[in-house]
Coordinates of all heavy atoms in Angstrom, one line a residue:
M1 N 2.7 24.4 0.0 CA 2.5 23.2 0.8 C 2.9 21.9 0.1 O 2.7 21.8 -1.1 CB 1.0 23.1 1.2 CG 0.7 21.8 2.0 SD -1.0 21.7 2.4 CE -1.2 23.0 3.6
N2 N 3.6 21.0 0.7 CA 3.9 19.8 0.1 C 3.4 18.6 1.0 O 2.8 18.9 2.1 CB 5.4 19.6 -0.1 CG 6.2 19.8 1.2 OD1 5.9 19.1 2.2 ND2 7.2 20.6 1.2
D3 N 3.6 17.4 0.6 CA 3.0 16.3 1.3 C 3.5 16.2 2.7 O 2.7 15.7 3.6 CB 3.3 15.0 0.6 CG 2.5 14.8 -0.7 OD1 1.7 15.7 -1.0 OD2 2.8 13.9 -1.5
T4 N 4.6 16.6 3.0 CA 5.1 16.5 4.4 C 4.5 17.4 5.3 O 4.6 17.3 6.5 CB 6.7 16.7 4.4 OG1 7.0 18.0 4.0 CG2 7.4 15.7 3.6
D5 N 3.8 18.5 4.8 CA 3.1 19.4 5.7 C 1.7 18.9 6.1 O 1.0 19.5 6.9 CB 2.9 20.7 5.0 CG 4.2 21.4 4.7 OD1 5.1 21.2 5.5 OD2 4.3 22.1 3.6
V6 N 1.2 17.8 5.5 CA -0.1 17.4 5.8 C -0.1 16.2 6.7 O 0.7 15.3 6.6 CB -0.8 16.9 4.4 CG1 -2.2 16.4 4.7 CG2 -0.8 18.0 3.4
N7 N -1.0 16.3 7.8 CA -1.1 15.2 8.7 C -2.0 14.2 8.1 O -3.2 14.4 7.9 CB -1.7 15.7 10.0 CG -1.9 14.6 11.0 OD1 -1.8 13.4 10.7 ND2 -2.0 14.9 12.3
T8 N -1.5 13.1 7.6 CA -2.3 12.1 6.9 C -2.8 10.9 7.8 O -3.4 10.0 7.3 CB -1.4 11.5 5.8 OG1 -0.3 10.9 6.3 CG2 -1.1 12.6 4.7
S9 N -2.5 11.0 9.1 CA -2.9 9.9 9.9 C -4.3 10.1 10.6 O -4.8 9.2 11.1 CB -1.8 9.6 11.0 OG -1.7 10.8 11.9
I10 N -4.8 11.3 10.5 CA -6.1 11.6 11.1 C -7.0 12.3 10.1 O -6.6 13.2 9.4 CB -5.9 12.6 12.3 CG1 -5.0 11.9 13.4 CG2 -7.3 12.9 12.9 CD1 -4.7 12.8 14.6
C11 N -8.2 11.8 10.0 CA -9.2 12.4 9.0 C -9.5 13.8 9.4 O -9.9 14.1 10.6 CB -10.4 11.5 9.0 SG -11.8 12.2 8.0
P12 N -9.5 14.8 8.5 CA -9.9 16.2 8.8 C -11.3 16.3 9.2 O -11.7 17.1 10.1 CB -9.6 16.9 7.5 CG -8.6 16.1 6.8 CD -9.0 14.7 7.1
R13 N -12.2 15.4 8.7 CA -13.6 15.6 9.0 C -14.1 14.9 10.2 O -14.9 15.4 11.0 CB -14.5 15.1 7.7 CG -15.9 15.3 7.9 CD -16.7 15.2 6.6 NE -16.8 13.8 6.2 CZ -17.6 13.4 5.2 NH1 -18.3 14.2 4.6 NH2 -17.5 12.1 4.8
C14 N -13.6 13.6 10.5 CA -14.2 12.9 11.6 C -13.1 12.5 12.7 O -13.5 11.9 13.7 CB -14.9 11.6 11.1 SG -13.8 10.3 10.6
D15 N -11.9 12.9 12.4 CA -10.8 12.7 13.4 C -10.4 11.3 13.6 O -9.7 10.9 14.6 CB -11.1 13.4 14.7 CG -11.2 14.9 14.6 OD1 -10.4 15.5 13.8 OD2 -12.0 15.6 15.3
A16 N -10.9 10.4 12.8 CA -10.6 9.0 12.9 C -9.2 8.7 12.4 O -8.7 9.3 11.4 CB -11.6 8.1 12.1
E17 N -8.5 7.9 13.1 CA -7.1 7.5 12.6 C -7.3 6.3 11.7 O -6.9 5.2 12.1 CB -6.2 7.2 13.8 CG -6.0 8.4 14.7 CD -5.0 8.1 15.8 OE1 -4.0 7.4 15.6 OE2 -5.2 8.6 16.9
N18 N -7.9 6.5 10.6 CA -8.3 5.4 9.7 C -8.2 5.9 8.2 O -9.1 5.8 7.5 CB -9.7 5.0 10.0 CG -10.0 3.6 9.5 OD1 -9.1 2.9 9.0 ND2 -11.3 3.2 9.6
V19 N -7.0 6.5 7.9 CA -6.8 7.1 6.6 C -5.8 6.2 5.8 O -4.9 5.7 6.3 CB -6.1 8.5 6.8 CG1 -5.7 9.1 5.5 CG2 -7.1 9.4 7.6
R20 N -6.1 6.1 4.5 CA -5.2 5.4 3.6 C -5.0 6.3 2.3 O -5.8 7.1 2.0 CB -5.7 4.0 3.2 CG -7.0 4.0 2.4 CD -7.3 2.6 2.0 NE -8.5 2.5 1.1 CZ -8.5 2.7 -0.2 NH1 -7.3 3.0 -0.8 NH2 -9.6 2.7 -0.9
V21 N -4.0 5.9 1.6 CA -3.7 6.6 0.3 C -4.7 6.0 -0.7 O -4.9 4.8 -0.9 CB -2.3 6.4 -0.2 CG1 -2.1 6.9 -1.6 CG2 -1.3 7.1 0.8
L22 N -5.5 7.0 -1.4 CA -6.4 6.6 -2.4 C -5.7 6.4 -3.8 O -5.9 5.4 -4.5 CB -7.6 7.6 -2.5 CG -8.7 7.3 -3.4 CD1 -9.4 6.0 -3.0 CD2 -9.7 8.4 -3.4
T23 N -5.0 7.4 -4.1 CA -4.2 7.4 -5.4 C -3.2 8.5 -5.4 O -3.2 9.4 -4.5 CB -5.2 7.6 -6.6 OG1 -4.5 7.3 -7.8 CG2 -5.8 9.0 -6.6
T24 N -2.3 8.5 -6.3 CA -1.3 9.5 -6.4 C -1.2 10.1 -7.8 O -1.8 9.5 -8.8 CB 0.1 8.9 -6.1 OG1 0.4 7.8 -7.0 CG2 0.2 8.4 -4.7
S25 N -0.6 11.3 -7.9 CA -0.5 12.0 -9.2 C 0.2 11.1 -10.2 O 1.2 10.4 -9.9 CB 0.3 13.3 -9.0 OG 0.7 13.8 -10.2
P26 N -0.2 11.2 -11.5 CA 0.5 10.5 -12.5 C 1.9 11.0 -12.7 O 2.8 10.3 -13.2 CB -0.3 10.7 -13.8 CG -1.3 11.8 -13.5 CD -1.4 11.8 -12.0
V27 N 2.1 12.3 -12.3 CA 3.4 12.9 -12.3 C 4.0 12.6 -10.9 O 3.5 13.1 -9.9 CB 3.4 14.4 -12.5 CG1 4.8 15.0 -12.4 CG2 2.8 14.7 -13.9
P28 N 5.0 11.8 -10.7 CA 5.6 11.4 -9.4 C 5.8 12.7 -8.5 O 6.4 13.6 -9.0 CB 6.9 10.7 -9.7 CG 6.6 10.1 -11.1 CD 5.8 11.2 -11.8
G29 N 5.3 12.6 -7.3 CA 5.5 13.7 -6.3 C 4.5 14.9 -6.5 O 4.6 15.8 -5.8
G30 N 3.6 14.8 -7.5 CA 2.7 15.9 -7.7 C 1.7 16.2 -6.6 O 1.6 17.3 -6.1
W31 N 1.0 15.1 -6.2 CA 0.1 15.2 -5.1 C -0.3 13.8 -4.7 O 0.0 12.8 -5.5 CB -1.2 16.0 -5.5 CG -1.8 15.6 -6.8 CD1 -1.6 16.4 -8.0 CD2 -2.6 14.5 -7.2 NE1 -2.3 15.8 -9.0 CE2 -2.9 14.6 -8.6 CE3 -3.1 13.4 -6.5 CZ2 -3.7 13.7 -9.2 CZ3 -3.9 12.5 -7.2 CH2 -4.2 12.6 -8.5
T32 N -0.9 13.6 -3.6 CA -1.4 12.3 -3.1 C -2.8 12.6 -2.7 O -3.1 13.6 -2.1 CB -0.5 11.9 -1.9 OG1 0.8 11.8 -2.2 CG2 -1.0 10.5 -1.4
M33 N -3.7 11.6 -3.0 CA -5.1 11.7 -2.6 C -5.3 10.7 -1.5 O -4.9 9.5 -1.6 CB -6.0 11.5 -3.8 CG -7.4 11.8 -3.5 SD -8.4 12.1 -5.0 CE -9.9 12.6 -4.2
Y34 N -6.0 11.1 -0.4 CA -6.2 10.3 0.7 C -7.7 10.1 0.9 O -8.5 10.9 0.5 CB -5.7 10.9 2.0 CG -4.2 11.2 2.0 CD1 -3.7 12.5 1.6 CD2 -3.3 10.2 2.3 CE1 -2.4 12.7 1.5 CE2 -1.9 10.5 2.2 CZ -1.5 11.7 1.9 OH -0.1 12.0 1.8
V35 N -8.1 9.0 1.5 CA -9.5 8.7 1.9 C -9.6 8.2 3.3 O -8.7 7.4 3.7 CB -10.1 7.7 0.9 CG1 -9.5 6.4 0.9 CG2 -11.6 7.6 1.1
C36 N -10.6 8.7 4.0 CA -10.9 8.2 5.3 C -11.8 6.9 5.2 O -12.8 7.0 4.6 CB -11.6 9.3 6.2 SG -12.2 8.6 7.8
V37 N -11.3 5.9 5.8 CA -12.1 4.6 5.7 C -13.3 4.7 6.5 O -14.3 4.0 6.3 CB -11.2 3.4 6.1 CG1 -12.0 2.1 6.0 CG2 -10.0 3.3 5.1
T38 N -13.3 5.5 7.6 CA -14.5 5.6 8.5 C -15.6 6.4 7.9 O -16.8 6.0 7.9 CB -14.0 6.3 9.8 OG1 -13.1 5.4 10.4 CG2 -15.2 6.5 10.8
C39 N -15.3 7.6 7.3 CA -16.4 8.5 6.9 C -16.4 8.8 5.3 O -17.2 9.5 4.8 CB -16.4 9.8 7.6 SG -15.1 11.0 7.1
V40 N -15.4 8.2 4.6 CA -15.3 8.2 3.2 C -14.9 9.7 2.7 O -15.1 10.0 1.5 CB -16.5 7.7 2.5 CG1 -16.2 7.3 1.0 CG2 -17.1 6.5 3.2
Y41 N -14.6 10.5 3.6 CA -14.1 11.8 3.1 C -12.8 11.6 2.4 O -11.9 10.8 2.8 CB -13.8 12.8 4.4 CG -13.3 14.1 4.0 CD1 -14.0 15.1 3.4 CD2 -12.0 14.4 4.4 CE1 -13.5 16.3 3.1 CE2 -11.4 15.7 4.1 CZ -12.2 16.6 3.5 OH -11.7 17.9 3.2
S42 N -12.6 12.3 1.3 CA -11.3 12.2 0.5 C -10.8 13.6 0.2 O -11.5 14.6 0.1 CB -11.5 11.4 -0.7 OG -12.5 12.0 -1.6
W43 N -9.5 13.7 0.1 CA -8.8 15.0 -0.1 C -7.5 14.8 -0.7 O -6.9 13.7 -0.7 CB -8.7 15.8 1.2 CG -7.8 15.2 2.2 CD1 -6.5 15.6 2.4 CD2 -8.0 14.2 3.1 NE1 -5.9 14.8 3.4 CE2 -6.9 13.9 3.9 CE3 -9.2 13.4 3.4 CZ2 -6.8 13.0 4.9 CZ3 -9.1 12.4 4.4 CH2 -7.9 12.2 5.1
R44 N -7.1 15.8 -1.4 CA -5.8 15.8 -2.1 C -4.8 16.6 -1.3 O -5.1 17.7 -0.7 CB -5.9 16.4 -3.5 CG -4.8 16.1 -4.4 CD -5.0 16.6 -5.8 NE -5.5 17.9 -5.8 CZ -6.5 18.4 -6.6 NH1 -7.1 17.6 -7.4 NH2 -6.8 19.7 -6.5
S45 N -3.6 16.2 -1.2 CA -2.5 16.8 -0.4 C -2.3 18.3 -0.7 O -1.8 19.0 0.1 CB -1.2 16.0 -0.5 OG -0.8 16.0 -1.9
T46 N -2.7 18.7 -1.9 CA -2.4 20.1 -2.3 C -3.6 21.0 -2.0 O -3.5 22.2 -2.3 CB -2.1 20.1 -3.9 OG1 -3.2 19.4 -4.5 CG2 -0.8 19.5 -4.2
E47 N -4.6 20.5 -1.4 CA -5.7 21.4 -1.0 C -5.4 22.2 0.2 O -4.4 21.9 0.9 CB -7.0 20.5 -0.7 CG -7.5 19.8 -2.0 CD -8.8 19.1 -1.7 OE1 -9.9 19.8 -1.5 OE2 -8.8 17.9 -1.6
P48 N -6.1 23.3 0.4 CA -5.8 24.2 1.6 C -6.0 23.5 2.9 O -6.7 22.5 3.0 CB -6.7 25.4 1.4 CG -7.8 24.9 0.5 CD -7.2 23.8 -0.4
A49 N -5.4 24.0 4.0 CA -5.5 23.4 5.3 C -6.9 23.2 5.8 O -7.2 22.3 6.5 CB -4.7 24.2 6.3
S50 N -7.8 24.1 5.3 CA -9.2 24.0 5.7 C -9.8 22.7 5.2 O -10.9 22.3 5.8 CB -10.0 25.2 5.2 OG -10.0 25.3 3.8
A51 N -9.2 22.0 4.3 CA -9.8 20.8 3.8 C -8.9 19.6 4.1 O -9.3 18.4 4.0 CB -9.9 20.8 2.2
T52 N -7.7 19.8 4.7 CA -6.8 18.7 4.9 C -6.3 18.6 6.3 O -5.8 17.5 6.7 CB -5.5 18.9 4.0 OG1 -4.9 20.2 4.4 CG2 -5.9 19.0 2.5
D53 N -6.5 19.6 7.1 CA -5.9 19.6 8.5 C -7.1 19.5 9.5 O -8.0 20.3 9.5 CB -5.2 20.9 8.7 CG -4.5 20.9 10.1 OD1 -4.9 20.2 11.0 OD2 -3.5 21.7 10.2
P54 N -7.1 18.5 10.3 CA -8.2 18.3 11.3 C -8.4 19.5 12.2 O -9.5 19.8 12.7 CB -7.7 17.1 12.1 CG -6.8 16.3 11.3 CD -6.1 17.4 10.4
L55 N -7.3 20.2 12.5 CA -7.4 21.4 13.4 C -8.0 22.6 12.7 O -8.6 23.5 13.4 CB -6.0 21.8 13.9 CG -5.3 20.7 14.8 CD1 -3.9 21.1 15.2 CD2 -6.2 20.3 16.0
T56 N -8.0 22.7 11.4 CA -8.6 23.9 10.8 C -9.7 23.5 9.9 O -10.3 24.4 9.2 CB -7.5 24.6 9.9 OG1 -6.9 23.7 9.0 CG2 -6.4 25.2 10.8
Y57 N -10.1 22.3 9.8 CA -11.3 21.9 9.0 C -12.5 22.5 9.7 O -12.6 22.5 10.9 CB -11.4 20.3 9.1 CG -12.5 19.8 8.2 CD1 -12.3 19.5 6.8 CD2 -13.8 19.6 8.7 CE1 -13.3 19.0 6.0 CE2 -14.8 19.1 7.8 CZ -14.5 18.8 6.5 OH -15.5 18.3 5.7
P58 N -13.5 23.1 8.9 CA -14.6 23.9 9.6 C -15.4 23.0 10.5 O -15.8 21.9 10.2 CB -15.4 24.3 8.3 CG -14.5 24.3 7.2 CD -13.5 23.2 7.5
A59 N -15.5 23.5 11.7 CA -16.2 22.8 12.8 C -17.6 22.4 12.4 O -18.1 21.4 12.8 CB -16.2 23.6 14.1
E60 N -18.3 23.3 11.7 CA -19.7 23.0 11.3 C -19.8 21.8 10.4 O -20.9 21.3 10.2 CB -20.4 24.2 10.7 CG -19.8 24.8 9.5 CD -18.7 25.9 9.7 OE1 -18.0 25.8 10.7 OE2 -18.6 26.8 8.9
F61 N -18.7 21.4 9.7 CA -18.8 20.3 8.8 C -18.2 19.0 9.4 O -18.1 18.0 8.7 CB -18.1 20.6 7.5 CG -18.8 21.7 6.8 CD1 -18.0 22.8 6.3 CD2 -20.1 21.7 6.5 CE1 -18.6 23.9 5.6 CE2 -20.8 22.8 5.9 CZ -20.0 23.8 5.4
K62 N -17.7 19.1 10.7 CA -17.2 17.9 11.3 C -18.3 16.8 11.5 O -19.5 17.1 11.6 CB -16.6 18.2 12.7 CG -15.3 19.0 12.6 CD -14.1 18.1 12.5 CE -12.8 18.8 12.8 NZ -11.7 17.9 12.8
I63 N -17.8 15.5 11.5 CA -18.8 14.4 11.7 C -18.3 13.6 12.8 O -17.1 13.3 13.0 CB -18.8 13.6 10.4 CG1 -19.6 14.3 9.3 CG2 -19.4 12.2 10.7 CD1 -19.6 13.5 8.0
N64 N -19.2 13.1 13.7 CA -18.9 12.2 14.8 C -19.1 10.8 14.2 O -20.2 10.4 13.8 CB -19.9 12.4 15.9 CG -19.6 11.5 17.1 OD1 -18.9 10.5 16.9 ND2 -20.2 11.8 18.2
P65 N -18.0 10.0 14.2 CA -18.1 8.7 13.6 C -19.2 7.8 14.2 O -19.8 7.0 13.5 CB -16.8 8.0 13.9 CG -15.8 9.2 14.0 CD -16.6 10.3 14.6
A66 N -19.6 8.1 15.5 CA -20.6 7.3 16.1 C -22.0 7.6 15.5 O -22.9 6.8 15.7 CB -20.6 7.6 17.6
E67 N -22.1 8.7 14.9 CA -23.4 9.1 14.3 C -23.6 8.7 12.9 O -24.7 8.9 12.3 CB -23.6 10.7 14.4 CG -23.7 11.1 15.9 CD -23.7 12.7 16.0 OE1 -23.6 13.4 15.0 OE2 -23.9 13.1 17.2
I68 N -22.5 8.2 12.2 CA -22.6 7.9 10.8 C -23.7 6.8 10.5 O -24.4 7.0 9.5 CB -21.2 7.4 10.3 CG1 -20.2 8.5 10.3 CG2 -21.3 6.8 8.9 CD1 -18.8 8.2 10.0
P69 N -23.9 5.8 11.3 CA -25.0 4.8 10.9 C -26.4 5.5 10.9 O -27.3 5.0 10.2 CB -24.9 3.8 12.0 CG -23.5 3.9 12.5 CD -23.1 5.3 12.4
A70 N -26.6 6.6 11.6 CA -27.9 7.2 11.7 C -28.1 8.3 10.6 O -29.2 8.8 10.5 CB -28.1 7.8 13.0
I71 N -27.1 8.6 9.9 CA -27.2 9.6 8.8 C -28.0 9.1 7.7 O -27.7 8.0 7.1 CB -25.8 10.1 8.3 CG1 -25.0 10.7 9.5 CG2 -25.9 11.0 7.2 CD1 -23.6 11.1 9.2
P72 N -29.1 9.8 7.3 CA -29.9 9.2 6.2 C -29.2 9.3 4.8 O -28.4 10.2 4.6 CB -31.2 10.2 6.2 CG -30.7 11.4 6.8 CD -29.6 11.0 7.8
A73 N -29.6 8.4 4.0 CA -29.1 8.4 2.6 C -29.8 9.5 1.8 O -31.0 9.6 1.9 CB -29.3 7.0 1.9
I74 N -29.1 10.3 1.1 CA -29.7 11.4 0.3 C -29.2 11.3 -1.1 O -28.0 11.4 -1.3 CB -29.3 12.8 0.9 CG1 -29.8 12.9 2.3 CG2 -29.9 13.9 0.1 CD1 -29.4 14.2 3.1
P75 N -30.1 11.1 -2.1 CA -31.5 10.9 -1.9 C -31.8 9.6 -1.3 O -31.0 8.6 -1.4 CB -32.0 11.0 -3.4 CG -30.9 10.5 -4.2 CD -29.6 11.0 -3.5
A76 N -33.0 9.5 -0.7 CA -33.5 8.3 -0.1 C -33.5 7.1 -1.1 O -33.9 7.4 -2.2 CB -34.8 8.5 0.6
V77 N -33.2 6.0 -0.6 CA -33.3 4.8 -1.5 C -34.7 4.3 -1.4 O -35.3 4.0 -0.4 CB -32.3 3.7 -1.0 CG1 -32.5 2.4 -1.8 CG2 -30.9 4.2 -1.0
P78 N -35.4 4.3 -2.6 CA -36.8 3.9 -2.6 C -37.0 2.4 -2.2 O -36.1 1.6 -2.4 CB -37.3 4.2 -4.0 CG -36.1 4.1 -4.8 CD -34.9 4.6 -3.9
P79 N -38.2 2.1 -1.7 CA -38.5 0.6 -1.4 C -38.5 -0.2 -2.7 O -38.8 0.4 -3.8 CB -39.8 0.6 -0.8 CG -40.5 1.9 -1.2 CD -39.4 2.9 -1.4
R80 N -38.2 -1.4 -2.6 CA -38.3 -2.3 -3.8 C -39.7 -2.4 -4.3 O -40.7 -2.3 -3.5 CB -37.8 -3.7 -3.4 CG -36.4 -3.8 -3.0 CD -36.0 -5.2 -2.7 NE -36.0 -6.0 -3.9 CZ -34.9 -6.4 -4.5 NH1 -33.7 -6.2 -4.1 NH2 -35.0 -7.2 -5.6
R81 N -39.9 -2.5 -5.6 CA -41.2 -2.5 -6.2 C -42.0 -3.8 -5.9 O -43.2 -3.8 -5.9 CB -41.1 -2.3 -7.7 CG -40.6 -0.9 -8.0 CD -40.7 -0.6 -9.5 NE -40.3 0.8 -9.7 CZ -39.8 1.3 -10.8 NH1 -39.6 0.5 -11.8 NH2 -39.5 2.5 -10.9
R82 N -41.3 -4.9 -5.7 CA -41.9 -6.1 -5.3 C -41.0 -7.0 -4.6 O -39.8 -6.8 -4.5 CB -42.5 -6.9 -6.5 CG -41.5 -7.3 -7.5 CD -42.1 -7.9 -8.7 NE -41.1 -8.2 -9.7 CZ -40.9 -9.4 -10.2 NH1 -41.6 -10.4 -9.8 NH2 -39.9 -9.6 -11.0
Ligands
ZN1 ZN1 -13.3 10.6 8.4

């Protein structure tokens, strides 16, 4: 697989069209790392389709962007001491 085989315009996890390049390989053309600005999922272009392709990303791990604000922080952030 090379970079041209990866759909980089849609996030594999949340299907948002809000993806940008995070970084690239120090060896030119080695790989590209992407991040979804909506759900913060990140992946490298050389990972298998199950991690990079919205159509084959495991359905049980998909996220609905509308539900992101209600997802609890883990571990929970404790209250301020004073
Ligand atoms: Zn996403």
Side-chain angles (χ1 to χ4, degrees):
M1 176 183 289
N2 59 48
D3 286 356
T4 60
D5 295 329
V6 178
N7 181 345
T8 58
S9 63
I10 299 175
C11 172
R13 183 165 71 169
C14 77
D15 296 324
E17 294 184 39
N18 200 8
V19 172
R20 69 175 181 82
V21 172
L22 183 62
T23 189
T24 57
S25 166
V27 177
W31 45 261
T32 302
M33 191 161 184
Y34 302 96
V35 63
C36 172
V37 178
T38 298
C39 77
V40 200
Y41 177 71
S42 60
W43 67 98
R44 196 174 51 224
S45 58
T46 52
E47 291 185 73
S50 60
T52 61
D53 185 339
L55 297 177
T56 56
Y57 188 88
E60 62 269 36
F61 298 129
K62 287 275 193 177
I63 288 179
N64 179 346
E67 296 175 353
I68 291 174
I71 296 174
I74 300 175
V77 178
R80 295 182 67 107
R81 292 186 176 155
R82 60 185 178 122

